[in-house]
């Protein structure tokens, strides 16, 4: 039985760590998901709580997961896991039945599950959590309480730091289809032989004042006493959806210029602002400098927004902004870059670089070839991430080694 509890603790703990971490690296993604939930359930008044709840959820998940893996604060971690699963298991059942939100966001953008898949996963985790909960009072050798508390505090601080850094800059790991190096054109392609959506026709006929529904196999086509009333198409099976969809660039003056932008073999700077009235105005001087730089170099510089045409014109006039604005779906804009405004650099549809408004480059930095500049910057960031990952892994392994060693000595 102790072996079952050990593997249950390890599995549940690792799932909580993964779930908390992928949310922590993208706090705005979790914020949007909370907003979707509040809107779907008619709780729009709570949308202001979406961001703090996103930070709180990822932090608690990560801390509970770490405590479970390292067997720290057994009572609290078991209760924490049970409360989580006790809330989210029935919630995901409601989501699976009603389907108000197509993706629960349990693993951020790192792993997309359907609502029924999420519910099934939660049922399994709940069963493992119950094993931990009912075995939480089993006598086991443990390390000092202060060390356990230190581990929990470290987990909380680490998760919050990741969230705050990713919010003030960009997610340190980008799981979205618009990550650096992705080609937008390729992301919109539907492969040959990919399954298509399947629909079922519902035919409504009336007879003697009674309306009855039929399908294509049993409708009363030979009985003239039935009178056709209406028909509708119901989707019975979801087909393949490309990673990037509903992406377009257009305005009232030029129409749709999506292909023109995505097949431009020169560099294109794209300013992204999902809501122009909420754009961080402190970034405007750098935006104007970058626009002037692009003009001098012969590069394109456009802006994408979901705001209306008149609103964009008023904003341009009041801020003396000489950039042409185009409309794009708001969900796509929120997915492209977690910043308002954000900036991306593309060439022939490939995303070469992305910037949060806190990190917009000075014109002096953009010397030489922009592709080489972007690759260099990205390599330096990858080196930092690898260093952080290796260091964190080593620290965890060292902690695990000391815990195992201490327990082994205690048994002797």
């Amino acid at each position: 039985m102790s072996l079952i509890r050990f593997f249950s603790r390890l599995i549940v703990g690792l799932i909580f760590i993964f779930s908390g971490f992928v949310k922590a690296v993208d706090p705005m993604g979790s914020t949007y998901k909370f907003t979707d939930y509040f809107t779907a359930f008619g709780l729009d008044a709570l949308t202001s709580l979406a961001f703090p709840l996103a930070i709180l959820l990822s932090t608690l998940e990560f801390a509970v997961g770490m405590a479970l893996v390292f067997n720290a604060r057994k009572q609290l971690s078991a209760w924490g896991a049970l409360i989580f699963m006790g809330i989210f298991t029935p919630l995901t059942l409601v989501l699976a039945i009603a389907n108000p939100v197509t993706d629960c966001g349990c693993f951020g953008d790192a792993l997309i599950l359907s609502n029924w898949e999420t519910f099934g996963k939660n049922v399994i985790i709940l069963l493992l959590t119950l094993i931990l909960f009912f075995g939480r009072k089993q006598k086991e050798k443990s390390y000092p309480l202060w060390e356990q508390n230190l581990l929990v505090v470290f987990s909380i601080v680490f998760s919050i730091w990741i969230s705050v850094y990713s919010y003030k800059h960009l997610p340190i790991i980008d799981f979205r289809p618009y990550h650096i190096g992705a080609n937008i054109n390729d992301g919109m392609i539907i492969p040959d032989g990919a399954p298509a959506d399947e629909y079922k026709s519902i035919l409504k006929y009336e007879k003697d004042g009674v309306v009855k529904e039929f399908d294509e196999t049993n409708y009363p086509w030979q009985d003239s006493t039935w009178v056709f009333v209406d028909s509708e198409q119901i989707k019975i099976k979801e087909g393949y959806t490309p990673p990037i969809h509903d992406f377009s660039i257009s305005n009232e003056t030029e129409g749709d210029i999506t292909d023109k932008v995505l097949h431009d073999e020169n560099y294109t700077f794209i300013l992204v602002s999902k809501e122009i009235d909420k754009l961080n105005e402190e970034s405007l001087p750098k935006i104007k400098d970058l626009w002037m730089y692009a003009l001098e170099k012969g590069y394109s510089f456009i802006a994408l927004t979901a705001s209306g045409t008149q609103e964009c014109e008023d904003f341009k006039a009041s801020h003396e902004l000489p950039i042409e604005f185009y409309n794009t779906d708001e969900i796509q804009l929120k997915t492209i870059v977690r910043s308002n405004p954000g900036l991306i650099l593309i060439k022939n549809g490939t995303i070469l670089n992305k910037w949060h408004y806190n990190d917009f480059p000075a014109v002096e930095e953009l010397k030489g070839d922009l592709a080489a500049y972007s690759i260099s910057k990205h390599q330096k960031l990858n080196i930092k991430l690898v260093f952080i990952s290796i260091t964190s892994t080593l620290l965890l392994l060292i902690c695990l080694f000391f815990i195992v060693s201490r327990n082994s000595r205690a048994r002797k």
Side-chain angles (χ1 to χ4, degrees), residues 85-143:
M85 300 315 302
I87 293 173
F88 286 104
T89 302
L91 176 61
T92 52
L93 177 60
V94 172
L95 293 176
I97 295 172
N99 200 37
V101 179
T102 55
D103 167 35
C104 76
C106 299
F107 296 126
D109 287 300
L111 182 60
I112 306 297
L113 299 176
S114 69
N115 286 330
W116 280 112
E117 288 172 340
T118 301
F119 173 68
K121 176 262 298 179
N122 283 352
V123 169
I124 295 172
I125 298 174
L126 177 60
L127 293 175
L128 297 176
T129 301
L130 289 173
I131 294 174
L132 298 177
F133 181 77
F134 290 115
R136 71 190 186 282
K137 294 183 179 180
Q138 293 291 326
K139 295 292 185 181
E140 292 179 358
K141 297 291 183 181
S142 61
Y143 46 104

Side-chain angles (χ1 to χ4, degrees), residues 259-291:
D259 286 340
K260 177 183 175 182
V261 173
L262 296 184
H263 292 92
D264 189 347
E265 296 186 357
N266 203 354
Y267 295 111
T268 299
F269 286 94
I270 301 179
L271 184 73
V272 178
S273 176
K274 58 186 178 67
E275 296 173 281
I276 198 71
D277 61 319
K278 296 181 181 179
L279 181 146
N280 181 280
E281 297 189 6
E282 292 180 6
S283 62
L284 288 175
K286 274 195 173 182
I287 291 173
K288 293 177 182 178
D289 289 343
L290 289 166
W291 175 84

Side-chain angles (χ1 to χ4, degrees), residues 13 25 68 77 139 159 167 173 187 297 344 361 377 407:
V25 299
L68 288 172
S77 60
K139 295 292 185 181
S159 182
Y167 171 71
I173 301 176
K297 293 289 186 179
I344 67 172
K377 281 285 186 181
N407 289 340

Side-chain angles (χ1 to χ4, degrees), residues 94-376:
V94 172
L95 293 176
I97 295 172
N99 200 37
V101 179
T102 55
D103 167 35
C104 76
C106 299
F107 296 126
D109 287 300
L111 182 60
I112 306 297
L113 299 176
S114 69
N115 286 330
W116 280 112
E117 288 172 340
T118 301
F119 173 68
K121 176 262 298 179
N122 283 352
V123 169
I124 295 172
I125 298 174
L126 177 60
L127 293 175
L128 297 176
T129 301
L130 289 173
I131 294 174
L132 298 177
F133 181 77
F134 290 115
R136 71 190 186 282
K137 294 183 179 180
Q138 293 291 326
K139 295 292 185 181
E140 292 179 358
K141 297 291 183 181
S142 61
Y143 46 104
L145 188 61
W146 71 267
E147 291 184 13
Q148 299 178 41
N149 290 336
L150 185 62
L151 175 70
V152 173
V153 170
F154 166 79
S155 304
I156 293 172
V157 171
F158 179 78
S159 182
I160 293 176
W161 177 81
I162 290 288
S163 294
V164 172
Y165 180 88
S166 297
Y167 171 71
K168 292 193 174 219
H169 302 279
L170 287 178
I172 60 173
I173 301 176
D174 194 346
F175 296 106
R176 291 158 292 157
Y178 294 97
H179 59 81
I180 293 175
N183 186 279
I184 300 176
N185 293 306
D186 293 344
M188 294 191 289
I189 294 175
I190 298 179
D192 293 336
D197 293 341
E198 294 183 14
Y199 293 87
K200 179 179 181 180
S201 295
I202 300 297
L203 308 173
K204 297 180 181 179
Y205 283 80
E206 182 181 358
K207 180 179 180 180
D208 298 331
V210 177
V211 177
K212 187 175 179 181
E213 293 184 351
F214 300 89
D215 59 32
E216 295 170 328
T217 63
N218 64 356
Y219 71 98
W221 61 277
Q222 291 180 319
D223 188 348
S224 60
T225 60
W226 286 94
V227 179
F228 175 78
V229 177
D230 194 11
S231 67
E232 62 178 313
Q233 296 282 321
I234 298 177
K235 186 186 289 188
I236 58 175
K237 185 177 180 181
E238 193 79 30
Y240 173 81
T241 302
I244 297 177
H245 52 278
D246 298 332
F247 178 81
S248 64
I249 302 172
S250 63
N251 65 11
E252 294 180 357
T253 305
E254 300 178 58
D256 193 313
I257 63 166
T258 309
D259 286 340
K260 177 183 175 182
V261 173
L262 296 184
H263 292 92
D264 189 347
E265 296 186 357
N266 203 354
Y267 295 111
T268 299
F269 286 94
I270 301 179
L271 184 73
V272 178
S273 176
K274 58 186 178 67
E275 296 173 281
I276 198 71
D277 61 319
K278 296 181 181 179
L279 181 146
N280 181 280
E281 297 189 6
E282 292 180 6
S283 62
L284 288 175
K286 274 195 173 182
I287 291 173
K288 293 177 182 178
D289 289 343
L290 289 166
W291 175 84
M292 183 62 69
Y293 163 82
L295 183 65
E296 292 173 353
K297 293 289 186 179
Y299 306 147
S300 298
F301 195 116
I302 63 174
L304 306 183
T305 184
S307 299
T309 302
Q310 190 57 52
E311 191 175 357
C312 292
E313 292 301 319
D314 293 343
F315 186 86
K316 286 171 60 177
S318 62
H319 294 87
E320 299 180 348
L321 201 61
I323 302 170
E324 194 64 37
F325 278 81
Y326 298 85
N327 286 116
T328 299
D329 177 70
E330 183 179 357
I331 294 176
Q332 298 302 308
L333 295 178
K334 291 191 293 188
T335 307
I336 291 171
V337 62
R338 306 293 203 203
S339 173
N340 188 14
L343 185 68
I344 67 172
L345 174 67
I346 70 170
K347 183 177 183 181
N348 207 19
T350 298
I351 299 174
L352 300 177
N353 217 331
K354 297 170 70 170
W355 295 273
H356 187 285
Y357 63 77
N358 285 329
D359 303 312
F360 281 175
V363 170
E364 294 76 21
E365 294 180 44
L366 304 178
K367 296 178 181 178
D369 183 70
L370 290 181
Y373 164 82
S374 299
I375 291 172
S376 175

